[in-house]
Amino acid sequence: VTPLIDSKRLWASIIETAEFGALSQGGLRRLSLSPEDGLVRDWLRTKCEALGCTVRIDEVGNMFALWRGGTSALDPIAIGSHMDTQPTGGKFDGVLGVLGGLEVLRTLAAENYRTRHPLMLINWTNEEGSRFSPAMLGSGAHAGIFDRDVVYETRDNDGLRFRDALDSINYLGNEKLGSVKFRAMFELHIEQGPLLETAHRDIGVVLGVQGVRWFDVKLRGQEAHSGSTPLQHRRDALCAAARLVTAVRAIAESSREGVGTVGSLKVIPNSRNVIPGEVLLTIDLRNASEIGLDQMQSRLLVQLDQLRIEGFEPEISEAWRNPALRFDSDCIAAVRHGAVQAGLETKDLVSGAGHDAAYVARVAPTAMIFIPCKDGLSHNQAESATFEQCANGVQVLLNSVISYDSGAFAVCYPA
Ligand SMILES: [Zn+2]
């Protein structure tokens, strides 16, 4: 029989840790490697050690609490997320995934439940990317995407180095980056979007993370007098840009699972009575699949070709890309099973936001569980999830780990 979590104990831990960095409107300011981050880390370490965990810290401050629930020498099954927040963040984003993991360990310990694998709770450093950029620095460094020394030299807005900030809260650990191994990882998180709430579903089974492509585009027209230049003599770069903005929207609407945004425009010379001679704009395309992204990109290039024929000399360069990611099918199956077992209604989703699980998925089988959040809001003090929603998520987290541990969903499993 799969044990039931203690939802009151879970909620109490959410309320208790929300003291570290509490803001007046119910939210949190717990920037990565701040004194408040140090306090919540100390709290977590104490609670994990009280359960008999061994807590190891790696070179960028990622915390790994190993719970030897298993009797074998198998790699542990991990549960992980983050405890840092945005400057005016809420008390669920990230925190729920770590405290949910703690509740899983506490439940299994209280029931004296033996898993085959050891379990591991992970608190990833600097997920938000708010104080130190980029986001998901700790999980990315673990997965070998960011170099340790580059991370160390990253500075906050006050010029303080990451390494010094890490040292100041006593979390400069000595475990080599990437050396802590685990069999798989599960991450529970609030959805940060409106889909579950709108569909009245309890649990999001997260199939993957959207791919992203960023472009910079330059369109050239001709500056001229706004009064004395007849319309047919104009090459108005902003009119061309306006067509491109609506084209990006149309490309997204005609794609299966895509979104597209022009979020920034620079108009030159930006003067009331001069026909714009040049416009620089940014394009952000996202899609659940790489094929979808390829299609969106080729439609975009067709639009630019049209503007080229009309004499706007479009130039496009790719500023950044992050490929679409599919989570591990065994882990996803374990989540689905865990939700059904808990009697909850699920919806399959693709995450629109980045998460630690996306980087971890490059080095270990991974999946995510979403719960609804009020009005789909996050990165806001008003971010909210109910007692019941949090409890549902953590029960599914526990069920998923137990399912995965049982091996029912593994294709090739060590004997
Ligand atoms: Zn988060």
Side-chain angles (χ1 to χ4, degrees):
V1 181
T2 304
L4 295 177
I5 63 145
D6 181 339
S7 2
K8 285 193 182 135
R9 182 172 54 194
L10 168 71
W11 192 255
S13 67
I14 293 172
I15 300 304
E16 190 181 344
T17 55
E19 290 297 312
F20 304 118
L23 294 175
S24 60
Q25 291 166 55
L28 289 185
R29 178 188 172 87
R30 194 159 65 215
L31 297 178
S32 188
L33 313 187
S34 63
E36 297 77 29
D37 188 21
L39 289 172
V40 82
R41 284 163 173 266
D42 292 346
W43 182 95
L44 182 69
R45 184 205 283 248
T46 306
K47 302 299 177 191
C48 288
E49 285 173 351
L51 286 171
C53 293
T54 316
V55 180
R56 294 152 76 189
I57 316 291
D58 77 8
E59 295 170 301
V60 299
N62 293 321
M63 299 172 69
F64 303 89
L66 180 68
W67 189 62
R68 294 215 171 271
T71 47
S72 63
L74 297 171
D75 281 341
I77 298 173
I79 298 170
S81 199
H82 62 96
M83 298 186 96
D84 63 325
T85 76
Q86 290 286 330
T88 51
K91 49 181 177 287
F92 300 93
D93 177 355
V95 188
L96 177 67
V98 178
L99 297 179
L102 178 66
E103 179 54 38
V104 168
L105 298 188
R106 284 172 161 177
T107 301
L108 297 181
E111 302 270 333
N112 210 6
Y113 189 98
R114 288 294 219 182
T115 49
R116 277 207 311 138
H117 296 73
L119 302 183
M120 178 181 274
L121 179 58
I122 307 177
N123 175 29
W124 298 108
T125 298
N126 195 70
E127 192 276 345
E128 293 290 358
S130 178
R131 181 177 182 195
F132 296 100
S133 181
M136 301 171 285
L137 212 51
S139 50
H142 173 84
I145 287 148
F146 306 121
D147 180 73
R148 185 197 70 174
D149 294 331
V150 174
V151 172
Y152 280 171
E153 289 305 315
T154 306
R155 289 170 193 266
D156 70 5
N157 283 339
D158 298 326
L160 195 65
R161 289 194 320 154
F162 180 99
R163 189 184 191 283
D164 297 332
L166 189 57
D167 201 19
S168 74
I169 60 164
N170 294 318
Y171 278 87
L172 180 58
N174 51 18
E175 295 289 340
K176 282 255 168 290
L177 263 178
S179 66
V180 178
K181 301 288 182 213
F182 40 90
R183 175 74 180 81
M185 188 188 87
F186 292 86
E187 181 171 6
L188 167 67
H189 207 281
I190 57 169
E191 182 199 338
Q192 303 181 278
L195 299 177
L196 290 175
E197 189 176 60
T198 309
H200 301 288
R201 301 295 172 89
D202 312 302
I203 294 293
V205 178
V206 189
L207 305 179
V209 180
Q210 274 185 342
V212 186
R213 293 186 196 175
W214 283 357
F215 301 97
D216 293 322
V217 175
K218 184 195 273 187
L219 298 173
R220 250 186 298 271
Q222 188 172 48
E223 290 176 23
H225 194 288
S226 68
S228 54
T229 316
L231 292 177
Q232 65 271 28
H233 284 264
R234 297 182 181 206
R235 274 199 299 130
D236 185 330
L238 186 54
C239 281
R243 282 165 53 203
L244 193 56
V245 171
T246 52
V248 167
R249 171 79 185 206
I251 287 166
E253 280 170 359
S254 66
S255 73
R256 240 168 60 80
E257 296 172 296
V259 288
T261 307
V262 175
S264 164
L265 278 182
K266 189 174 176 198
V267 182
I268 298 164
N270 209 25
S271 169
R272 180 190 296 272
N273 54 356
V274 180
I275 297 163
E278 191 172 291
V279 173
L280 305 172
L281 58 92
T282 61
I283 297 176
D284 172 320
L285 301 181
R286 302 184 188 225
N287 198 292
S289 78
E290 285 296 296
I291 293 168
L293 274 172
D294 288 343
Q295 286 169 346
M296 292 174 83
Q297 181 170 346
S298 59
R299 290 199 184 122
L300 174 64
L301 295 180
V302 169
Q303 292 295 324
L304 291 178
D305 280 343
Q306 181 58 37
L307 294 174
R308 183 169 292 112
I309 292 166
E310 295 172 25
F312 289 102
E313 301 168 53
E315 285 174 26
I316 183 166
S317 58
E318 187 175 298
W320 182 66
R321 74 159 63 192
N322 199 23
L325 174 109
R326 302 299 278 187
F327 284 130
D328 178 77
S329 53
D330 289 341
C331 292
I332 292 172
V335 170
R336 209 183 287 291
H337 181 262
V340 169
Q341 197 184 6
L344 298 169
E345 297 261 19
T346 65
K347 179 176 171 57
D348 288 0
L349 296 172
V350 171
S351 175
H355 290 287
D356 291 312
Y359 279 147
V360 173
R362 301 192 188 200
V363 292
T366 302
M368 291 190 78
I369 303 160
F370 278 175
I371 59 161
C373 54
K374 192 170 184 306
D375 302 327
L377 212 56
S378 72
H379 290 188
N380 186 318
Q381 288 202 61
E383 171 188 295
S384 172
T386 65
F387 176 93
E388 193 185 10
Q389 287 166 337
C390 292
N392 286 344
V394 175
Q395 187 63 52
V396 173
L397 179 65
L398 183 146
N399 295 357
S400 309
V401 168
I402 300 282
S403 268
Y404 194 84
D405 179 64
S406 75
F409 299 101
V411 177
C412 76
Y413 216 72

